[in-house]
Amino acid sequence: MKTIITILAVFFLVSCGNNEELENLKKENAALAAQVKALKEGVNAKGPKYMLKLRLKQSHLSLSIKKHIKDAVNAIEFELPVDKEFYDSVSEGTEIIDKFRFGSMVLYGSLGDWEMTVKEKYVK
């Protein structure tokens, strides 16, 4: 989006004939291009990637089997790259988040929480 705006601004300034502003825009454009290049190089950097496969689900305090089945079916799993420190500090089965759902209790009388656990960890 920024690139499109920069290109439009360059065309506008060229038509106006203001060389000083055109030079400033060229410098800004070059700086943006350098930032984009640095980001791409950082993403494509060589070396190991420490990955966690996480499972996020709701858990209800209830005797209803239907609610427990619904919670299990609605659970999601996703992968997340992490730094080496965090990777080393957790193991499979570690519970990262166990947060009580206060708003649901107040509004609906539902007792439950969010649970996020490490399902798998690996190095890519």
Side-chain angles (χ1 to χ4, degrees), residues 81-92:
V82 295
D83 62 358
K84 184 171 178 11
E85 269 184 65
F86 188 74
Y87 180 85
D88 291 338
S89 71
V90 297
S91 60
E92 291 183 15

Side-chain angles (χ1 to χ4, degrees), residues 37-73:
K37 182 179 177 184
L39 285 173
K40 285 181 181 178
E41 288 173 357
V43 168
N44 296 328
K46 299 290 182 199
K49 289 185 181 179
Y50 299 94
M51 303 291 291
L52 295 180
K53 188 172 198 175
L54 303 172
R55 179 183 173 129
L56 177 65
K57 72 173 204 153
Q58 287 187 31
S59 176
H60 288 90
L61 181 62
S62 171
L63 296 177
S64 170
I65 294 174
K66 183 179 175 183
K67 281 189 179 182
H68 292 288
I69 291 172
K70 181 181 74 164
D71 290 342
V73 169

Side-chain angles (χ1 to χ4, degrees), residues 108-122:
Y108 305 112
S110 172
L111 295 175
D113 60 356
W114 288 104
E115 295 176 356
M116 183 184 295
T117 55
V118 177
K119 184 171 181 186
E120 182 182 346
K121 59 188 262 185
Y122 58 93

